[in-house]
Amino acid sequence: MVSYIDQETDQFRASSAARTSASRLSMSRASPMPLTPGVSKETESYVSPPAPSFSRLLAMNAPEWKQALIGSISALVYGSLQPIYALTIGGMIAAFFVQDHNEMNAIISRYALIFCSLSLVSIAVNLLQHYNFAYMGEHLVRRIRVQVLEKILTFEAAWFDEDTNSSGSLCSRLSDESSLVKTLVADRISLLLQTACGIVIAVTMGLIVAWKLALVMIAVQPCTMICYYAKKIVLSNVSRDLAKAQYESTQIAIEAVYNHRMVTSFGCSSKILQLFEHTQEEPLRKARKKSWVAGITTGLSPCLTFLSWALDFWYGGKLAQSGEISAGDVFKTFFVLVSTGKLIADAGSMTSDLAKGSNAVASVFEVLDRKSISPQNSQ
C-alpha cells in the first residue's frame, strides 16, 4: 500500500510538472515575458538590447524646449532651497545665544519670515517643475508610441512569429514600456539639476561661513553618503531576493491546492508537506545571510554618521573656543553640509531605479532601430 501511494505521488508530481511547464509555455507565447527563464532556446540565447542614450531622448523631446527650460529653472531654484533652509535652521539656533532679548526677537522674526517665504517659493517652483516636466513626458510618450506603431506595421510577417514579438509583448511595449520614457526624462533632469545646484550652493555657503570646519566636514562627508546609500540599497535588495527564493515553494503550494482532490484521495498530504519544507531550506539559509548583511549595514550607517558628527562638533568647538568662528557659524555650517550629504545619498539611491527604467525601454528603441526586410510606407 505504501509503495502504491509513493508511485501515485510520483505520478502526481510528474503530471503537475508537465502541466506547469505546458501552461508556462502557453502563457509565455501570450505574455510579454515568460514566467521562468529557459523555456526555449530562443529565450536563452536572447540578448537584451542596449539602453537608449539620454541625448537621444532629449533630441526626441526637442519640440518642448520651452517647457524644458521652465522646468529646469524651477528644478534649480528648488535645489537651492534645501541649503538655504538648512542655513536658516542654523541661524535660528544661533539666535538663542544672543544676550539682548529685543535683538533675539528681531532675529527670530526675520528667520520666521524667511521660513514662510521658503514655503511659498517651494510650492510655486514645484508646481512649475512637475507641470512642465509632465508636459514634456506626455508628448514624448505620444511621439514614441506613434513611431513604434508605424514601424511595426512595416515589418515582415515572419517577425511576428517570434515568441518575443507576440501580441501581448507588442502591446506591452506600446503601453507600459513606452510610458517609462516619461520618468527617464523628467526624473533624470530634475534629479541632476536639483542635486548639482544643491551641492554647489551648500559647499559655497559652508566655505564662506567657516571654511576650516567646512573642509573637515567635506572630507568626512563621503562616509555619511555611503552609509545612507548602502542602507537604502541593501534593504531594498533583501526583500527582492527573498521573494525570488520563495518562488519554488510557492509553486509547490499552488500545485497542491490546485490538485487538492488528488492529494486527499491518495493521502499524499504528508509527502507534499515534506517537499514544501525541503524547498524552504534554501530560502531560510539565504534569509539568515541577508539578515546579517542588512543588520550590519543598518547598524554601521548610523554608527559612522554619529562618529562624523562627533568629529564635526568637536572641531567646531575647538574653532569656537579659539575665537575663529562663533557658535552660530558652527551650527550653520553643520546643518548646511549634513543636509547636502543626505540629498546626495537620496539621489544616488534613485539612480538604480532610473537604470532599471532605462533597460526596460530598450526594447522599444530596438523596434525603432530595426530595419524591415520589406518596408512599406504607411498611408
mmCIF file of all heavy atoms in Angstrom, residues 49-91:
data_model
loop_
_atom_site.group_PDB
_atom_site.id
_atom_site.type_symbol
_atom_site.label_atom_id
_atom_site.label_comp_id
_atom_site.label_asym_id
_atom_site.label_seq_id
_atom_site.Cartn_x
_atom_site.Cartn_y
_atom_site.Cartn_z
ATOM 1 N N PRO A 49 18.697 44.372 -25.677
ATOM 2 C CA PRO A 49 19.313 45.457 -26.443
ATOM 3 C C PRO A 49 19.879 46.522 -25.518
ATOM 4 O O PRO A 49 19.486 46.628 -24.353
ATOM 5 C CB PRO A 49 18.135 46.001 -27.268
ATOM 6 C CG PRO A 49 16.925 45.659 -26.461
ATOM 7 C CD PRO A 49 17.240 44.345 -25.800
ATOM 8 N N PRO A 50 20.816 47.323 -26.013
ATOM 9 C CA PRO A 50 21.379 48.384 -25.171
ATOM 10 C C PRO A 50 20.353 49.468 -24.887
ATOM 11 O O PRO A 50 19.444 49.721 -25.687
ATOM 12 C CB PRO A 50 22.542 48.918 -26.018
ATOM 13 C CG PRO A 50 22.174 48.573 -27.428
ATOM 14 C CD PRO A 50 21.431 47.273 -27.348
ATOM 15 N N ALA A 51 20.500 50.094 -23.742
ATOM 16 C CA ALA A 51 19.574 51.153 -23.348
ATOM 17 C C ALA A 51 19.812 52.395 -24.202
ATOM 18 O O ALA A 51 20.938 52.673 -24.618
ATOM 19 C CB ALA A 51 19.758 51.489 -21.870
ATOM 20 N N PRO A 52 18.757 53.169 -24.479
ATOM 21 C CA PRO A 52 18.930 54.381 -25.285
ATOM 22 C C PRO A 52 19.710 55.442 -24.521
ATOM 23 O O PRO A 52 19.639 55.533 -23.296
ATOM 24 C CB PRO A 52 17.489 54.824 -25.554
ATOM 25 C CG PRO A 52 16.704 54.263 -24.421
ATOM 26 C CD PRO A 52 17.359 52.959 -24.083
ATOM 27 N N SER A 53 20.453 56.235 -25.251
ATOM 28 C CA SER A 53 21.235 57.292 -24.629
ATOM 29 C C SER A 53 20.323 58.441 -24.211
ATOM 30 O O SER A 53 19.251 58.660 -24.780
ATOM 31 C CB SER A 53 22.304 57.800 -25.593
ATOM 32 O OG SER A 53 21.700 58.337 -26.760
ATOM 33 N N PHE A 54 20.780 59.176 -23.207
ATOM 34 C CA PHE A 54 19.983 60.293 -22.710
ATOM 35 C C PHE A 54 19.908 61.420 -23.734
ATOM 36 O O PHE A 54 18.897 62.122 -23.826
ATOM 37 C CB PHE A 54 20.594 60.798 -21.403
ATOM 38 C CG PHE A 54 19.777 61.845 -20.718
ATOM 39 C CD1 PHE A 54 18.466 61.597 -20.360
ATOM 40 C CD2 PHE A 54 20.311 63.084 -20.426
ATOM 41 C CE1 PHE A 54 17.705 62.562 -19.724
ATOM 42 C CE2 PHE A 54 19.570 64.054 -19.790
ATOM 43 C CZ PHE A 54 18.262 63.789 -19.438
ATOM 44 N N SER A 55 20.966 61.602 -24.509
ATOM 45 C CA SER A 55 20.947 62.643 -25.540
ATOM 46 C C SER A 55 19.912 62.342 -26.619
ATOM 47 O O SER A 55 19.288 63.260 -27.166
ATOM 48 C CB SER A 55 22.336 62.772 -26.166
ATOM 49 O OG SER A 55 22.746 61.542 -26.740
ATOM 50 N N ARG A 56 19.711 61.064 -26.912
ATOM 51 C CA ARG A 56 18.697 60.710 -27.906
ATOM 52 C C ARG A 56 17.295 61.025 -27.398
ATOM 53 O O ARG A 56 16.438 61.508 -28.159
ATOM 54 C CB ARG A 56 18.808 59.228 -28.243
ATOM 55 C CG ARG A 56 17.828 58.774 -29.314
ATOM 56 C CD ARG A 56 18.001 57.308 -29.638
ATOM 57 N NE ARG A 56 17.070 56.890 -30.678
ATOM 58 C CZ ARG A 56 16.972 55.645 -31.131
ATOM 59 N NH1 ARG A 56 17.766 54.699 -30.649
ATOM 60 N NH2 ARG A 56 16.099 55.346 -32.065
ATOM 61 N N LEU A 57 17.050 60.767 -26.124
ATOM 62 C CA LEU A 57 15.746 61.098 -25.554
ATOM 63 C C LEU A 57 15.507 62.603 -25.561
ATOM 64 O O LEU A 57 14.397 63.070 -25.851
ATOM 65 C CB LEU A 57 15.657 60.557 -24.130
ATOM 66 C CG LEU A 57 15.681 59.034 -23.968
ATOM 67 C CD1 LEU A 57 15.694 58.667 -22.490
ATOM 68 C CD2 LEU A 57 14.488 58.402 -24.655
ATOM 69 N N LEU A 58 16.547 63.367 -25.256
ATOM 70 C CA LEU A 58 16.399 64.822 -25.285
ATOM 71 C C LEU A 58 16.156 65.327 -26.702
ATOM 72 O O LEU A 58 15.391 66.277 -26.910
ATOM 73 C CB LEU A 58 17.648 65.482 -24.705
ATOM 74 C CG LEU A 58 17.859 65.356 -23.194
ATOM 75 C CD1 LEU A 58 19.143 66.059 -22.785
ATOM 76 C CD2 LEU A 58 16.676 65.935 -22.438
ATOM 77 N N ALA A 59 16.809 64.708 -27.685
ATOM 78 C CA ALA A 59 16.603 65.123 -29.073
ATOM 79 C C ALA A 59 15.168 64.860 -29.521
ATOM 80 O O ALA A 59 14.587 65.657 -30.272
ATOM 81 C CB ALA A 59 17.588 64.394 -29.979
ATOM 82 N N MET A 60 14.593 63.764 -29.061
ATOM 83 C CA MET A 60 13.203 63.474 -29.410
ATOM 84 C C MET A 60 12.240 64.409 -28.696
ATOM 85 O O MET A 60 11.097 64.572 -29.125
ATOM 86 C CB MET A 60 12.872 62.022 -29.058
ATOM 87 C CG MET A 60 13.681 60.997 -29.828
ATOM 88 S SD MET A 60 13.205 59.299 -29.447
ATOM 89 C CE MET A 60 11.568 59.254 -30.178
ATOM 90 N N ASN A 61 12.683 65.009 -27.605
ATOM 91 C CA ASN A 61 11.845 65.938 -26.844
ATOM 92 C C ASN A 61 12.151 67.397 -27.174
ATOM 93 O O ASN A 61 11.743 68.305 -26.428
ATOM 94 C CB ASN A 61 12.061 65.722 -25.349
ATOM 95 C CG ASN A 61 10.767 65.696 -24.565
ATOM 96 O OD1 ASN A 61 10.721 65.169 -23.476
ATOM 97 N ND2 ASN A 61 9.691 66.259 -25.104
ATOM 98 N N ALA A 62 12.854 67.628 -28.283
ATOM 99 C CA ALA A 62 13.269 68.989 -28.651
ATOM 100 C C ALA A 62 12.100 69.943 -28.896
ATOM 101 O O ALA A 62 12.211 71.132 -28.566
ATOM 102 C CB ALA A 62 14.171 68.934 -29.882
ATOM 103 N N PRO A 63 10.963 69.528 -29.478
ATOM 104 C CA PRO A 63 9.866 70.494 -29.690
ATOM 105 C C PRO A 63 9.347 71.126 -28.405
ATOM 106 O O PRO A 63 8.777 72.220 -28.453
ATOM 107 C CB PRO A 63 8.779 69.642 -30.368
ATOM 108 C CG PRO A 63 9.526 68.545 -31.044
ATOM 109 C CD PRO A 63 10.678 68.242 -30.139
ATOM 110 N N GLU A 64 9.523 70.479 -27.272
ATOM 111 C CA GLU A 64 9.049 71.035 -25.995
ATOM 112 C C GLU A 64 10.185 71.728 -25.247
ATOM 113 O O GLU A 64 10.319 71.582 -24.032
ATOM 114 C CB GLU A 64 8.450 69.925 -25.121
ATOM 115 C CG GLU A 64 7.138 69.357 -25.623
ATOM 116 C CD GLU A 64 7.325 68.385 -26.765
ATOM 117 O OE1 GLU A 64 8.368 67.712 -26.786
ATOM 118 O OE2 GLU A 64 6.444 68.308 -27.636
ATOM 119 N N TRP A 65 11.001 72.492 -25.948
ATOM 120 C CA TRP A 65 12.159 73.112 -25.306
ATOM 121 C C TRP A 65 11.745 74.220 -24.335
ATOM 122 O O TRP A 65 12.446 74.477 -23.345
ATOM 123 C CB TRP A 65 13.107 73.674 -26.363
ATOM 124 C CG TRP A 65 12.530 74.806 -27.174
ATOM 125 C CD1 TRP A 65 11.823 74.711 -28.325
ATOM 126 C CD2 TRP A 65 12.620 76.203 -26.863
ATOM 127 N NE1 TRP A 65 11.451 75.951 -28.771
ATOM 128 C CE2 TRP A 65 11.939 76.895 -27.890
ATOM 129 C CE3 TRP A 65 13.205 76.938 -25.834
ATOM 130 C CZ2 TRP A 65 11.820 78.279 -27.906
ATOM 131 C CZ3 TRP A 65 13.093 78.321 -25.850
ATOM 132 C CH2 TRP A 65 12.411 78.968 -26.877
ATOM 133 N N LYS A 66 10.620 74.874 -24.586
ATOM 134 C CA LYS A 66 10.172 75.918 -23.664
ATOM 135 C C LYS A 66 9.805 75.322 -22.305
ATOM 136 O O LYS A 66 10.184 75.850 -21.255
ATOM 137 C CB LYS A 66 8.970 76.651 -24.256
ATOM 138 C CG LYS A 66 9.291 77.449 -25.513
ATOM 139 C CD LYS A 66 8.055 78.178 -26.018
ATOM 140 C CE LYS A 66 8.375 78.983 -27.274
ATOM 141 N NZ LYS A 66 7.170 79.689 -27.803
ATOM 142 N N GLN A 67 9.051 74.224 -22.337
ATOM 143 C CA GLN A 67 8.702 73.562 -21.077
ATOM 144 C C GLN A 67 9.948 73.011 -20.379
ATOM 145 O O GLN A 67 10.034 73.022 -19.145
ATOM 146 C CB GLN A 67 7.705 72.428 -21.335
ATOM 147 C CG GLN A 67 6.296 72.883 -21.644
ATOM 148 C CD GLN A 67 6.150 73.472 -23.037
ATOM 149 O OE1 GLN A 67 6.970 73.205 -23.913
ATOM 150 N NE2 GLN A 67 5.111 74.268 -23.248
ATOM 151 N N ALA A 68 10.910 72.536 -21.170
ATOM 152 C CA ALA A 68 12.153 72.039 -20.575
ATOM 153 C C ALA A 68 12.923 73.159 -19.886
ATOM 154 O O ALA A 68 13.503 72.964 -18.803
ATOM 155 C CB ALA A 68 13.017 71.388 -21.649
ATOM 156 N N LEU A 69 12.919 74.339 -20.488
ATOM 157 C CA LEU A 69 13.626 75.470 -19.897
ATOM 158 C C LEU A 69 12.970 75.912 -18.590
ATOM 159 O O LEU A 69 13.653 76.126 -17.574
ATOM 160 C CB LEU A 69 13.659 76.629 -20.895
ATOM 161 C CG LEU A 69 14.378 77.902 -20.441
ATOM 162 C CD1 LEU A 69 15.839 77.611 -20.146
ATOM 163 C CD2 LEU A 69 14.249 78.997 -21.495
ATOM 164 N N ILE A 70 11.637 76.022 -18.600
ATOM 165 C CA ILE A 70 10.931 76.446 -17.382
ATOM 166 C C ILE A 70 11.087 75.396 -16.281
ATOM 167 O O ILE A 70 11.331 75.717 -15.109
ATOM 168 C CB ILE A 70 9.444 76.700 -17.692
ATOM 169 C CG1 ILE A 70 9.304 77.841 -18.707
ATOM 170 C CG2 ILE A 70 8.683 77.032 -16.416
ATOM 171 C CD1 ILE A 70 7.877 78.078 -19.163
ATOM 172 N N GLY A 71 10.956 74.125 -16.644
ATOM 173 C CA GLY A 71 11.117 73.069 -15.650
ATOM 174 C C GLY A 71 12.526 72.998 -15.092
ATOM 175 O O GLY A 71 12.717 72.742 -13.894
ATOM 176 N N SER A 72 13.526 73.236 -15.936
ATOM 177 C CA SER A 72 14.916 73.201 -15.466
ATOM 178 C C SER A 72 15.205 74.350 -14.511
ATOM 179 O O SER A 72 15.871 74.167 -13.476
ATOM 180 C CB SER A 72 15.866 73.259 -16.663
ATOM 181 O OG SER A 72 15.660 72.163 -17.526
ATOM 182 N N ILE A 73 14.704 75.541 -14.842
ATOM 183 C CA ILE A 73 14.899 76.683 -13.938
ATOM 184 C C ILE A 73 14.208 76.428 -12.600
ATOM 185 O O ILE A 73 14.757 76.725 -11.524
ATOM 186 C CB ILE A 73 14.381 77.975 -14.597
ATOM 187 C CG1 ILE A 73 15.224 78.310 -15.836
ATOM 188 C CG2 ILE A 73 14.405 79.132 -13.608
ATOM 189 C CD1 ILE A 73 14.710 79.501 -16.615
ATOM 190 N N SER A 74 13.013 75.856 -12.651
ATOM 191 C CA SER A 74 12.301 75.540 -11.408
ATOM 192 C C SER A 74 13.056 74.497 -10.589
ATOM 193 O O SER A 74 13.114 74.580 -9.356
ATOM 194 C CB SER A 74 10.895 75.035 -11.734
ATOM 195 O OG SER A 74 10.166 75.991 -12.480
ATOM 196 N N ALA A 75 13.659 73.514 -11.272
ATOM 197 C CA ALA A 75 14.437 72.498 -10.558
ATOM 198 C C ALA A 75 15.674 73.107 -9.904
ATOM 199 O O ALA A 75 16.051 72.728 -8.785
ATOM 200 C CB ALA A 75 14.841 71.382 -11.519
ATOM 201 N N LEU A 76 16.314 74.053 -10.591
ATOM 202 C CA LEU A 76 17.481 74.720 -10.000
ATOM 203 C C LEU A 76 17.084 75.530 -8.766
ATOM 204 O O LEU A 76 17.791 75.517 -7.747
ATOM 205 C CB LEU A 76 18.135 75.626 -11.043
ATOM 206 C CG LEU A 76 18.860 74.932 -12.201
ATOM 207 C CD1 LEU A 76 19.323 75.963 -13.225
ATOM 208 C CD2 LEU A 76 20.042 74.122 -11.694
ATOM 209 N N VAL A 77 15.959 76.224 -8.866
ATOM 210 C CA VAL A 77 15.506 77.018 -7.715
ATOM 211 C C VAL A 77 15.154 76.108 -6.544
ATOM 212 O O VAL A 77 15.509 76.390 -5.389
ATOM 213 C CB VAL A 77 14.303 77.892 -8.120
ATOM 214 C CG1 VAL A 77 13.736 78.627 -6.905
ATOM 215 C CG2 VAL A 77 14.711 78.897 -9.186
ATOM 216 N N TYR A 78 14.468 75.001 -6.840
ATOM 217 C CA TYR A 78 14.098 74.088 -5.760
ATOM 218 C C TYR A 78 15.330 73.423 -5.141
ATOM 219 O O TYR A 78 15.360 73.158 -3.935
ATOM 220 C CB TYR A 78 13.142 73.025 -6.287
ATOM 221 C CG TYR A 78 12.642 72.090 -5.219
ATOM 222 C CD1 TYR A 78 11.734 72.527 -4.265
ATOM 223 C CD2 TYR A 78 13.088 70.779 -5.160
ATOM 224 C CE1 TYR A 78 11.280 71.676 -3.271
ATOM 225 C CE2 TYR A 78 12.637 69.918 -4.173
ATOM 226 C CZ TYR A 78 11.730 70.375 -3.234
ATOM 227 O OH TYR A 78 11.288 69.528 -2.249
ATOM 228 N N GLY A 79 16.346 73.151 -5.959
ATOM 229 C CA GLY A 79 17.571 72.582 -5.412
ATOM 230 C C GLY A 79 18.310 73.534 -4.495
ATOM 231 O O GLY A 79 18.997 73.103 -3.557
ATOM 232 N N SER A 80 18.171 74.830 -4.730
ATOM 233 C CA SER A 80 18.833 75.812 -3.870
ATOM 234 C C SER A 80 18.083 76.055 -2.567
ATOM 235 O O SER A 80 18.636 76.661 -1.636
ATOM 236 C CB SER A 80 18.985 77.138 -4.619
ATOM 237 O OG SER A 80 17.711 77.683 -4.932
ATOM 238 N N LEU A 81 16.832 75.609 -2.479
ATOM 239 C CA LEU A 81 16.054 75.856 -1.262
ATOM 240 C C LEU A 81 16.559 75.034 -0.081
ATOM 241 O O LEU A 81 16.488 75.491 1.064
ATOM 242 C CB LEU A 81 14.573 75.537 -1.517
ATOM 243 C CG LEU A 81 13.829 76.462 -2.475
ATOM 244 C CD1 LEU A 81 12.377 76.019 -2.606
ATOM 245 C CD2 LEU A 81 13.900 77.905 -2.009
ATOM 246 N N GLN A 82 17.050 73.818 -0.340
ATOM 247 C CA GLN A 82 17.499 72.961 0.759
ATOM 248 C C GLN A 82 18.685 73.561 1.519
ATOM 249 O O GLN A 82 18.662 73.615 2.755
ATOM 250 C CB GLN A 82 17.849 71.573 0.215
ATOM 251 C CG GLN A 82 18.326 70.578 1.257
ATOM 252 C CD GLN A 82 17.266 70.251 2.281
ATOM 253 O OE1 GLN A 82 16.080 70.252 1.958
ATOM 254 N NE2 GLN A 82 17.663 69.990 3.512
ATOM 255 N N PRO A 83 19.743 74.042 0.853
ATOM 256 C CA PRO A 83 20.826 74.690 1.619
ATOM 257 C C PRO A 83 20.378 75.959 2.340
ATOM 258 O O PRO A 83 20.823 76.229 3.464
ATOM 259 C CB PRO A 83 21.879 74.999 0.548
ATOM 260 C CG PRO A 83 21.581 74.077 -0.570
ATOM 261 C CD PRO A 83 20.107 73.892 -0.569
ATOM 262 N N ILE A 84 19.492 76.727 1.694
ATOM 263 C CA ILE A 84 19.004 77.945 2.351
ATOM 264 C C ILE A 84 18.180 77.588 3.588
ATOM 265 O O ILE A 84 18.274 78.248 4.635
ATOM 266 C CB ILE A 84 18.175 78.782 1.358
ATOM 267 C CG1 ILE A 84 19.058 79.234 0.190
ATOM 268 C CG2 ILE A 84 17.552 79.984 2.043
ATOM 269 C CD1 ILE A 84 18.297 79.967 -0.902
ATOM 270 N N TYR A 85 17.382 76.542 3.468
ATOM 271 C CA TYR A 85 16.592 76.081 4.615
ATOM 272 C C TYR A 85 17.501 75.621 5.758
ATOM 273 O O TYR A 85 17.262 75.945 6.930
ATOM 274 C CB TYR A 85 15.677 74.944 4.159
ATOM 275 C CG TYR A 85 15.017 74.181 5.277
ATOM 276 C CD1 TYR A 85 13.945 74.728 5.977
ATOM 277 C CD2 TYR A 85 15.461 72.911 5.626
ATOM 278 C CE1 TYR A 85 13.338 74.022 7.008
ATOM 279 C CE2 TYR A 85 14.856 72.199 6.648
ATOM 280 C CZ TYR A 85 13.795 72.758 7.335
ATOM 281 O OH TYR A 85 13.203 72.059 8.346
ATOM 282 N N ALA A 86 18.553 74.874 5.426
ATOM 283 C CA ALA A 86 19.486 74.413 6.458
ATOM 284 C C ALA A 86 20.225 75.581 7.096
ATOM 285 O O ALA A 86 20.455 75.602 8.320
ATOM 286 C CB ALA A 86 20.478 73.426 5.847
ATOM 287 N N LEU A 87 20.607 76.559 6.281
ATOM 288 C CA LEU A 87 21.281 77.739 6.830
ATOM 289 C C LEU A 87 20.357 78.520 7.755
ATOM 290 O O LEU A 87 20.789 79.053 8.788
ATOM 291 C CB LEU A 87 21.762 78.628 5.682
ATOM 292 C CG LEU A 87 22.564 79.874 6.073
ATOM 293 C CD1 LEU A 87 23.891 79.477 6.704
ATOM 294 C CD2 LEU A 87 22.791 80.764 4.856
ATOM 295 N N THR A 88 19.078 78.561 7.417
ATOM 296 C CA THR A 88 18.111 79.272 8.256
ATOM 297 C C THR A 88 17.926 78.569 9.595
ATOM 298 O O THR A 88 17.790 79.223 10.639
ATOM 299 C CB THR A 88 16.768 79.378 7.519
ATOM 300 O OG1 THR A 88 16.978 79.953 6.226
ATOM 301 C CG2 THR A 88 15.798 80.259 8.290
ATOM 302 N N ILE A 89 17.916 77.236 9.575
ATOM 303 C CA ILE A 89 17.804 76.499 10.842
ATOM 304 C C ILE A 89 19.015 76.776 11.735
ATOM 305 O O ILE A 89 18.886 77.004 12.950
ATOM 306 C CB ILE A 89 17.666 74.990 10.560
ATOM 307 C CG1 ILE A 89 16.321 74.695 9.906
ATOM 308 C CG2 ILE A 89 17.797 74.188 11.850
ATOM 309 C CD1 ILE A 89 16.107 73.235 9.594
ATOM 310 N N GLY A 90 20.209 76.758 11.136
ATOM 311 C CA GLY A 90 21.399 77.072 11.922
ATOM 312 C C GLY A 90 21.377 78.482 12.476
ATOM 313 O O GLY A 90 21.785 78.724 13.627
ATOM 314 N N GLY A 91 20.888 79.428 11.679
ATOM 315 C CA GLY A 91 20.777 80.799 12.177
ATOM 316 C C GLY A 91 19.740 80.941 13.270
ATOM 317 O O GLY A 91 19.913 81.733 14.211
#
